[in-house]
Amino acid sequence: MEGFHSGAPNLCRVCVDAWAGGEVTGRLYHCYSRQPEPIGRISDVLDSIDRLCDRLNYPARTQQPRHFGPEKPRPQTTQKKVEPQMTREELAKNKGKMATFVVHVMYRQHSTWQGSVTWAETGEKANFRSALELIKLMDSAVEATLGDESPLQEKPDFAHPTNPVREETDYEA
């Protein structure tokens, strides 16, 4: 499925139907459910993928999350085997109205994720080092699909920055 290792058990397909003001709506698919998980905001994507990785215990967490308040019960280490409900080909048929991303989380280290994301419509693939970077990659891809629909914002010129510090100071005079 779009250049990923066919044996990766935790591939997710994020189908974006609308993206406004940094918030996303759509559906998330994976092989372990026939029904998509609805997405109402970007945190739903992160929560759904994290729950799937916990169910599969792949990739395993290197750190356990901390919580405020009473201690929450820890998940059992002996879990039932999770059986696939749909094939990779069935999974690949699902598409978003605006964009479709295939997310592969390879590691869950340093309290975040590392992996790769492929923009299905263009075939572009990028690696991410954190969940925040994953969100930024997806956001930039959706912004690219909007193209000229959004007004251009003036971008700073990093080659010739404007320096608010005066050339002369009082103590030099």
Side-chain angles (χ1 to χ4, degrees):
M1 187 165 69
E2 281 102 19
F4 283 101
H5 186 270
S6 62
N10 65 336
L11 291 183
C12 292
R13 195 162 180 94
V14 180
C15 300
V16 177
D17 294 331
W19 192 290
E23 289 300 315
V24 62
T25 57
R27 302 159 324 270
L28 183 133
Y29 294 89
H30 54 76
C31 290
Y32 301 95
S33 174
R34 285 221 162 269
Q35 300 301 314
E37 295 189 32
I39 299 168
R41 54 187 186 270
I42 197 66
S43 63
D44 293 343
V45 173
L46 302 178
D47 290 341
S48 294
I49 294 173
D50 208 34
R51 278 193 310 272
L52 174 65
C53 291
D54 284 343
R55 276 180 52 201
L56 298 172
N57 196 30
Y58 177 84
R61 290 181 185 267
T62 58
Q63 297 172 328
Q64 292 300 320
R66 293 186 270 176
H67 303 280
F68 288 110
E71 185 148 339
K72 296 187 178 193
R74 293 183 179 212
Q76 297 177 358
T77 55
T78 57
Q79 297 177 0
K80 294 188 294 185
K81 185 175 179 178
V82 182
E83 294 293 329
Q85 302 295 314
M86 82 170 79
T87 65
R88 301 261 185 228
E89 292 77 26
E90 291 172 318
L91 185 62
K93 291 178 184 176
N94 299 300
K95 301 213 181 293
K97 293 177 185 173
M98 288 189 77
T100 307
F101 301 98
V102 180
V103 179
H104 178 206
V105 177
M106 292 184 248
Y107 307 101
R108 293 195 292 170
Q109 298 174 338
H110 311 294
S111 297
T112 192
W113 302 341
Q114 298 81 37
S116 59
V117 59
T118 298
W119 186 8
E121 286 80 10
T122 65
E124 291 179 64
K125 182 177 178 180
N127 294 323
F128 58 88
R129 296 167 292 201
S130 68
L132 178 60
E133 190 174 11
L134 168 65
I135 293 167
K136 287 182 177 185
L137 287 166
M138 291 176 17
D139 183 51
S140 66
V142 171
E143 289 287 326
T145 62
L146 296 176
D148 296 329
E149 293 176 22
S150 60
L152 293 175
Q153 295 180 356
E154 190 175 316
K155 295 188 179 187
D157 183 6
F158 292 111
H160 305 299
T162 57
N163 191 349
V165 178
R166 293 187 338 206
E167 294 286 327
E168 297 178 22
T169 58
D170 291 337
Y171 62 85
E172 290 178 346

